[in-house]
Structures are given as C-alpha cells and as structure tokens.
Amino acid sequence: MGAAMRRIQAGNALTAFGIGFTVPFLYIYVAQVRGLGSMAATSAFVAFALGALVALPFTGRVIDRRGPVPVVIGAAVVASAGALALGLSNGVVPILLSALALGAGQAVMQPALATMIVWCSTPSTRTRAFALQFFMQNLGLGIGGLVGGQIVDVDRPGSFTLLFGIEAVMFLVLAAVIASVRMPQVPGINDAMAKAAAPAGGGWKRLLQHKAMVQLCLLGFVLFFACYGQFESGLAAFGTEAAGISPSTLGFALAANTGAIVIAQFVVLRLVEKRRRSRVIALVGLIWTVAWVIAGFSGLGHGSAVMAAGAFITTYALFGIGEAMLSPTLAPLVADLAPEGSVGQYNSAFALVKQMALALGPLGVPLGAGIPMLYIGIFVMVSLGIAGLALRLGKQLSPVQDNPSLSRIVAQGGPVAGAAKAAAAEPAHV
C-alpha cells in the first residue's frame, strides 16, 4: 500500500473501533439508563436509519464535484457532534436529533471512504484493498465492543457518556488522518479497463439507465436484507423464540460471525480474487442457503439445547464466511461499473440500497417469532434467488469487470485483450 492507502485504512479501523464502543449498547442506554423505554429506543434506531436515508441521495454528487476528502471530514465532524450529544442527552427529542446526526454522518462516510480507496487503487489492487477495509472494520468493531463491554455499567450513566465521548474522539481522529492524505492527481479507475459508454443525462438518470448497475443494486438489496437486515432482528427473534436461544448464546453467535470474518478474510481472498465475481456471489447465495437450513434445524426442537445452540452459532459463522467473500467483490464491482466522474454517485447509490435493506430488515421479526418455519423457508428461497440473480448479473458484465485479474492481460495486449475491451466498450444501458 502507498502512504495514502495506509492512512485511509488506519482511519477506517480507528473509526470502527469507536463505533464498536456504542453500537451494542445503544438500546440499553436509551431504554434503561435514560429510562425512556423501549419505544424511545426503537425510535432512536429509526432516526439513525432516517439520517442515512436523507443524506445519501445527495452525497454522491458532492463527492464527484468536490472530492471525497472534504466529504469525509465534514461527515466525521457531524458524526462526532452527534455521538457527543447522544451521550449527554436525557430527553427523547435530543436523543432523536443526536441519532439523526450520527446516522447521517456515518452513512456519508461510507461512500466517501470507498471513493478514496478507488482513487488510490487500480483494478488489480482494488480487490485486496476492499478486503482489508472490511477486515479492519470488523476487527475494530469487535475489539471496540469487547472493551466497551468492560466499561459500561447500567447503574452509572457516566460510563455510557464516556463511551459516546470516545466514539466522538475517534471520528475527529478520522477527520485529522484523512486531512493529511494526499490523493492522486488523477483517479486510477480506468487503469487497464475500458468503461461502458455512459448514457446521457444527470447523475441519477444515468445510473438508472445503466442496466448492469441497476441489477447490481437489486442484488445488493436482496443480499443486505437477507443477511445484515436479519442479524439483530428477524434471525435473533427466531433464535430466542423458536430455538430457545439464550441472550448469551446470541452474543456467542455474533462473536462467531465476526471471528469467521477475521479468520477467513484473507484465506477466502486467495480463493476468490482470480475468479469471476458473479460466480463468487452465486456461491455466497448457496452458502447462505445452507446457513438458513441449519438455522431451521436449531428451531425444530428435536435435539438438545446444546445442539440447537451449536447450529445457531454455525449459522452466524457461515454468514460471516459469505460476508468475507462479498467484501472483495461488491465494492470493487461498483467502482468498475461507474463511468468516469461518477464513482461517488455509484458508491452513494449502493450505500443507499444497503441502508434501505437494513431499514426494512425488522419486517422479518413477526415471522421469525410467530411463524418460524415459514420464515426459514422464505429466506432459503431468497438465498437461492441470490445465486440466480448473481448469474444473471454476470451476463451484463464485461470479462474484465467480472474477473478483474484479466485486467493485467488486457493491459499487456494478451489474447483476451481484444474481446475484453470490445465487450467493455459496449453500451450498458437500457
């Protein structure tokens, strides 16, 4: 990595560490420590998601016009103010306003940082760069949650204020680190890769006419809804209600998910970085199908409590392996699909799709708690659908977009260069 990439990854890791301090304890903080009840705590999560949904549609255009650096710095300052205000708030309205600012700031950082990584990488190095980012994020979140759990005390509100204060400081550290980054003069997004002809029109109009990107957004929505959207909502409700999983076992399951990502990330990277992206995503769909089937076994009640707990923990670990396969696949593909000057727009659109999927994730709670086997059956079918959508997306991609390892051959004028460049140069709009 160059100096710019090292600083970006370091800032990303420190921010994840700060976020890990507070995310697991936000519900307890609002509902119990501040004594505002479960409804207020739920509303805080809604405000957090709403902040992201309001800010992201405007983020991409600003990134492409002003550059990602000032956007990251501004978002970090807003998030820092939101985190600090949240730690000092006592009433419902201040907490909701603070959560709104924190959610908006965190959401805007994602596409801006992703754009910085794109600018500091090439198609051949981008896969590893995004894999490292995902690895550092999960490592930071895990360590932050572990350390934060040793500090918090429900009987001492000041301990929670300390956690939010640490998170606020980490956002400011990110702003300082990013301010010191010297970005390349020319974004390295076209190295050894011909771009699809961009449809005419503005940012969102052009994106919506880009058939491959629209299909990727649809696939991303299903992926995020079926995985991240269910972790702390529908799947947790299924585990506690249908499978009889204790809260402590649920904690172990979440730890197994993070552990699987941290352990498997670079092993998985070696297996996927020279393979077609569409087939890697399809394989993730099949792995998650197995994960949902194992989750269903945990809720059948035919085995012991230990077997049910083991099956449930295995489910979360398999999800983690799938996530490790997606991290070097999805984000680089978004960058490789983006026309010149629209990387920020495309990253923001994909981040918006993710936030929408997360916001709708709790819709699985009634099924997971009330009709558990129907819930499992639906998401088994959804996971199989992921595999089908991925293979369909592969037909819209050029050879180099689907397999970035071919970019070196294209750059050297190898035997696949002519075909790859010709396919990539075809218009990719409806």
Side-chain angles (χ1 to χ4, degrees):
M1 294 185 297
M5 183 67 79
R6 285 197 298 270
R7 294 186 182 189
I8 295 168
Q9 299 288 17
N12 179 71
L14 290 172
T15 304
F17 177 72
I19 294 173
F21 265 83
T22 61
V23 168
F25 314 110
L26 181 58
Y27 183 91
I28 296 174
Y29 170 71
V30 177
Q32 299 180 18
V33 176
R34 295 305 184 189
L36 299 176
S38 60
M39 184 61 68
T42 302
S43 298
F45 282 106
V46 172
F48 191 89
L50 183 62
L53 294 175
V54 169
L56 282 172
F58 308 99
T59 301
R61 185 66 64 87
V62 178
I63 293 173
D64 290 329
R65 289 184 175 181
R66 303 295 182 185
V69 172
V71 175
V72 173
I73 294 173
V77 172
V78 171
S80 178
L84 184 59
L86 192 57
L88 298 173
S89 299
N90 290 310
V92 174
V93 174
I95 282 177
L96 294 182
L97 292 176
S98 301
L100 193 71
L102 181 58
Q106 285 192 30
V108 170
M109 284 180 215
Q110 296 176 22
L113 284 170
T115 303
M116 291 185 71
I117 291 175
V118 171
W119 283 22
C120 294
S121 63
T122 66
S124 61
T125 63
R126 195 165 297 141
T127 296
R128 285 184 170 267
F130 278 103
L132 178 60
Q133 182 199 35
F134 190 68
F135 171 84
M136 297 299 286
Q137 281 180 340
N138 280 275
L139 188 61
L141 287 170
I143 296 175
L146 182 64
V147 175
Q150 307 305 310
I151 296 175
V152 295
D153 185 346
V154 177
D155 297 324
R156 290 191 303 113
S159 65
F160 286 84
T161 302
L162 175 61
L163 291 190
F164 284 105
I166 293 173
E167 181 182 28
V169 170
M170 289 297 102
F171 285 130
L172 294 179
V173 170
L174 171 67
V177 170
I178 295 303
S180 69
V181 173
R182 293 186 178 181
M183 296 297 292
Q185 293 296 318
V186 179
I189 61 175
N190 287 324
D191 297 351
M193 182 177 293
K195 286 289 183 180
W204 281 102
K205 180 180 178 181
R206 177 168 56 180
L207 188 149
L208 292 174
Q209 290 179 331
H210 194 160
K211 189 173 182 179
M213 184 60 187
V214 170
Q215 288 193 14
L216 179 58
C217 285
L218 174 61
L219 174 59
F221 178 86
V222 178
L223 281 165
F224 296 132
F225 180 75
C227 179
Y228 300 102
Q230 302 307 309
F231 270 6
E232 297 178 3
S233 58
L235 189 54
F238 169 85
T240 54
E241 297 293 336
I245 300 299
S246 66
S248 62
T249 301
L250 181 59
F252 278 116
L254 290 169
N257 174 262
T258 302
I261 292 170
V262 171
I263 294 172
Q265 182 63 83
F266 293 103
V267 176
V268 167
L269 178 61
R270 290 177 176 272
L271 299 176
V272 306
E273 65 180 344
K274 294 185 179 180
R275 286 170 173 78
R276 294 176 61 177
R277 287 165 167 167
S278 57
R279 292 184 179 179
V280 170
I281 300 172
L283 179 58
V284 171
L286 297 180
I287 292 173
W288 286 359
T289 300
V290 175
W292 282 107
V293 171
I294 293 175
F297 172 78
S298 72
L300 291 176
H302 297 324
S304 65
V306 174
M307 291 179 62
F312 199 71
I313 291 172
T314 301
T315 296
Y316 273 73
L318 287 174
F319 273 116
I321 293 173
E323 292 173 71
M325 296 171 66
L326 291 176
S327 64
T329 305
L330 289 178
L333 180 55
V334 173
D336 291 344
L337 286 175
E340 180 67 30
S342 296
V343 177
Q345 182 77 57
Y346 275 53
N347 280 328
S348 297
F350 202 69
L352 179 61
V353 166
K354 180 177 181 179
Q355 290 296 330
M356 292 173 63
L358 294 179
L360 295 176
L363 294 176
V365 171
L367 283 177
I371 317 176
M373 289 302 109
L374 176 61
Y375 174 75
I376 293 297
I378 288 174
F379 279 97
V380 165
M381 297 304 298
V382 168
S383 298
L384 290 173
I386 288 172
L389 287 172
L391 295 177
R392 183 179 179 184
L393 172 64
K395 298 178 181 179
Q396 297 293 328
L397 304 176
S398 71
V400 176
Q401 288 170 341
D402 202 15
N403 187 350
S405 65
L406 297 177
S407 61
R408 295 178 181 176
I409 302 176
V410 172
Q412 296 169 0
V416 300
K421 288 182 177 179
E426 294 178 0
H429 54 87
V430 180

